[in-house]
Amino acid sequence: MGEVTFAEVSKQFTLRVAGEVQHVQALDRVSFNVRDGEIVALIGPSGCGKTTALRVAMGLDAASGGRVTVDGNEVRGCGYDRGMVFQHAELLPWLNALQNVMFGLEMKGVRGAELSDTAMKYLDLVGLADSRNRRPHQLSGGMKQRVGIARALAIDPKVLLMDEPFGALDAQTRESMQTELLDIHARTKKTILFVTHDLDEAVLIADRIVVMREGRVREVIDVPLSRPRPDLGLVRGLREFSETRYRVWRLLHDAQTVQ
Amino acid sequence: MTEVANAERKSITHTASSAERRPWPRWAITLASIICALALWEIFGRNINPVFGSYPSAIAVAFWELARSGQLGSALYDSLRPFVIGYALAIVLGVPLGLIVGGSRAAGAALGIYVTAGYAMPLVALVPLLILWLGLGFAVKVAVIFLMSVFPICINTWAGVMAVPKTLIEVGKSFVAPNAVILRRIVLPATLPYIMAGIRLAVGRAVVGMVIAEFFTTISGLGAVIINSANNFDTATMFVPIIILMVMAIGLNWLIGWVERRIAPWQAEIAGRDRE
């Protein structure tokens, strides 16, 4: 199981701008849920609170009000039921690919043969078994992010939380990573909540899209595309794809003109 | 996969172009520079009154005489003993102190100010006080060398901790690592290049501390050779320990660099310095 529920989650930041204290409402009573095994995309203009929502779900930031639950358990700090994939992978530069995947497992208390076997299994899952001895700077951007995904998956979380995981990659690599993520999802059946600013990516990957604006959920949109989606190039040609994309685009466009 | 292929192609063209030009190796440039400097010193030094200056060949003769009489060996031993202990103590205490000051908000607020003040402390002025506390012997020399070198090590470590990217620490947090584990497994390795830079900077300060200690406490070691020969207007002999100390500092620097490449090879690789 891996069901994530946001119930009236609010988050305020206090900023000091030029000597003046400003209160920023990053999240304002955000409510939505992610069903078990589902992929949900959080999309919105920058500053809309989508990354904050993800960080609150991870437990890296505490909510000022409301609560996030995973399978009914309230999130209080980080936990092994959630795995985080960071925007720029954030691998530890002094460890090689395998050791980076092992890091999370070690923290979880896995030792001995199980440690290296499990890490190898997940490195293999992302197609990097042969690059296990490379250090991060010897990996391309796409490969780094795959290690980041393997590291998060290795602790066997119920939910994978991803913060613009492919945002820093070039278009070609991004497309192959999207296909790969769907493949990994098909094999692991993990619940995935991911933040993106890429409209195409949201529609291609997600089952549902949460459109955010100024700290609020503006709308939750169902993506009427069936699974599996092995050929994303083909999906792009479907009428359902362009219609959904246009719907989301309108919502984002309205949000920007209002601002 | 295409990215990797591109990266490899780039590195191939890189080696090809550098092979065409065949630049001088670093050590050859350094050697040529030393030879030029010594030659110029020799040419111009010979025209100066030997009380006011000296030149390489005269210093070499003085070196040989000092070494043959056994004076140099025992002076070196007397100097190096407190040096090694004081410097090692500075590393052993300075690094953890820097980690604590940088890693804990409370410790930073409580102790940081003493570290900053200690770095700027006019230690020479405090030597008489240290003599009152510790006497004129071995202990006071260790103390002076320690106090000279501990602060750059500590300050660099501290700065290194402050420079660790917040997101790397969040990686640790996201895997529920306790603070002590984050400090050891993430902050310490990320800080290592800064720590090594501090240890390097401290070499120079430790050498200065050593000579100060030998001048102002019991006159002994290499410092004694300097003072005695200066008092006898034997300038060539006076230069011998000065040059030995400079060579020693260069050697230690090289050794620290070698250790750094062994324990933190990723740093040079990231900076692209591993090709040299």
Side-chain angles (χ1 to χ4, degrees), chain A residues 92-95 135-138, chain B residues 186 188-193 260-274:
Chain A
L92 302 177
W94 48 90
L95 301 180
R135 273 199 279 269
H137 74 278
Q138 298 164 321
Chain B
I186 295 175
L188 182 63
T191 310
L192 215 47
E260 186 180 359
R261 282 192 297 277
R262 294 300 293 269
I263 61 173
W266 70 87
Q267 195 56 33
E269 289 166 13
I270 291 168
R273 278 181 278 125
D274 58 328

Side-chain angles (χ1 to χ4, degrees), chain A residues 55 58 60 78-80 84 86 90-94 103-104 106-107 134-135 137-138 140-143 151 155 170 173, chain B residues 1-4 8 165-168 170-178 181 185-187 189-190 265-266 269-270 274:
Chain A
R55 289 175 59 86
M58 187 62 224
L60 288 170
C78 300
Y80 297 113
M84 180 89 170
F86 292 84
E90 304 299 345
L91 305 180
L92 302 177
W94 48 90
F103 180 81
E106 282 175 71
M107 294 302 116
R134 291 199 194 186
R135 273 199 279 269
H137 74 278
Q138 298 164 321
S140 68
M143 291 160 105
R151 180 175 65 183
I155 58 165
D170 62 84
T173 312
Chain B
M1 286 303 117
T2 46
E3 290 166 71
V4 183
E8 272 162 13
K166 191 172 145 247
T167 42
L168 279 191
E170 285 184 344
V171 168
K173 281 191 186 155
S174 77
F175 290 110
V176 207
V181 176
R185 294 287 308 268
I186 295 175
V187 174
W266 70 87
E269 289 166 13
I270 291 168
D274 58 328

